[in-house]
Amino acid sequence: GAGVSQTPSNKVTEKGKYVELRCDPISGHTALYWYRQSLGQGPEFLIYFQGTGAADDSGLPNDRFFAVRPEGSVSTLKIQRTERGDSAVYLCASSLGLAGDNEQFFGPGTRLTVL
Amino acid sequence: GESVGLHLPTLSVQEGDNSIINCAYSNSASDYFIWYKQESGKGPQFIIDIRSNMDKRQGQRVTVLLNKTVKHLSLQIAATQPGDSAVYFCAEKVNTGFQKLVFGTGTRLLVSP
């Protein structure tokens, strides 16, 4: 079946602009996660959704970052007033639910470049 | 604090050799660990996991060892193949009521034919 998909695969924007990154999780997965991966580093947790609600957004770096999941499926990560330091690969993952051993399946990521 | 790190940034091996990738973690309360493989341009892919009540777990060509005394984790890959070339991450599941993963920096495995 289809895995986690993310669009666009690449996004180049200018400093100060607004961007939206989309994640389509695996059908039936209620849990959705966003991570950010800087060059040469491991992914860093941003936010977690269980259904429609953001259960934990403690990883969002500041109030320029916001994410939604209005219908409990597709999620959008929104970044306002982008800065060069926001350049990274943004990864989305989904899992069946909260249970401790539910594997997180990752999408290919969106590479964001802020000029 | 919570952190997971790796000893070696790059590991080069010959095809057919066994590879060992190491990881140190600092949160002694962590009870679940995962190894991921990440190929260029792709997201991390689950390889194998282990709970803290185990010392060893084996999969297909891979074995994970956990030493809780020194907070050390290792991934062993038998008969390494060129297709194993990738960056490998260990990740720690933090018990926050959901599956918050804390990743290490990663080790790049290069397999020469």
Side-chain angles (χ1 to χ4, degrees):
Chain A
V4 177
S5 63
Q6 293 186 245
T7 54
S9 56
N10 283 282
K11 176 69 176 178
V12 180
T13 191
E14 294 179 342
K15 180 176 180 295
K17 299 292 187 181
Y18 168 82
V19 297
E20 290 189 351
L21 312 179
R22 176 187 168 108
C23 172
D24 281 85
I26 293 173
S27 178
H29 282 193
T30 61
L32 186 145
Y33 312 79
W34 282 99
Y35 293 84
R36 178 168 70 173
Q37 186 172 26
S38 299
L39 189 63
Q41 302 295 317
E44 179 185 18
F45 169 81
L46 295 177
I47 186 170
Y48 158 69
F49 287 89
Q50 178 59 34
T52 60
D56 188 310
D57 63 358
S58 62
L60 295 178
N62 51 61
D63 61 6
R64 295 187 296 105
F65 289 75
F66 189 71
V68 295
R69 195 185 185 199
E71 298 179 355
S73 180
V74 171
S75 177
T76 303
L77 178 65
K78 307 180 181 190
I79 310 174
Q80 299 176 320
R81 304 182 305 280
T82 52
E83 300 177 356
R84 293 191 179 88
D86 298 334
S87 296
V89 174
Y90 289 81
L91 293 164
C92 176
S94 69
S95 69
L96 279 172
L98 278 175
D101 293 354
N102 280 329
E103 179 183 342
Q104 291 186 31
F105 293 85
F106 283 82
T110 293
R111 181 175 298 279
L112 176 66
T113 303
V114 182
L115 301 177
Chain B
E2 303 162 355
S3 68
V4 179
L6 297 177
H7 297 305
L8 298 173
T10 303
L11 177 63
S12 296
V13 300
Q14 294 288 322
E15 182 177 1
D17 288 350
N18 295 331
S19 302
I20 299 177
I21 300 172
N22 297 301
C23 174
Y25 65 93
S26 61
N27 190 341
S28 57
S30 295
D31 62 359
Y32 188 58
F33 304 88
I34 306 169
W35 279 100
Y36 283 91
K37 172 185 180 183
Q38 187 174 26
E39 296 174 287
S40 181
K42 298 183 179 180
Q45 178 184 7
F46 175 94
I47 300 174
I48 191 168
D49 58 2
I50 188 168
R51 289 201 163 275
S52 61
N53 61 355
M54 303 172 69
D55 297 322
K56 178 179 180 180
R57 190 169 188 213
Q58 289 185 292
Q60 188 175 18
R61 286 202 303 120
V62 294
T63 300
V64 55
L65 299 178
L66 176 63
N67 185 330
K68 295 181 289 294
T69 302
V70 295
K71 293 186 285 188
H72 183 268
L73 196 67
S74 69
L75 176 70
Q76 300 179 359
I77 305 174
T80 315
Q81 302 168 0
D84 294 328
S85 294
V87 177
Y88 290 79
F89 295 95
C90 62
E92 175 181 5
K93 254 183 197 178
V94 178
N95 183 17
T96 62
F98 70 97
Q99 302 168 15
K100 180 178 179 179
L101 295 179
V102 176
F103 285 82
T105 303
T107 292
R108 181 174 300 278
L109 177 64
L110 299 175
V111 183
S112 304

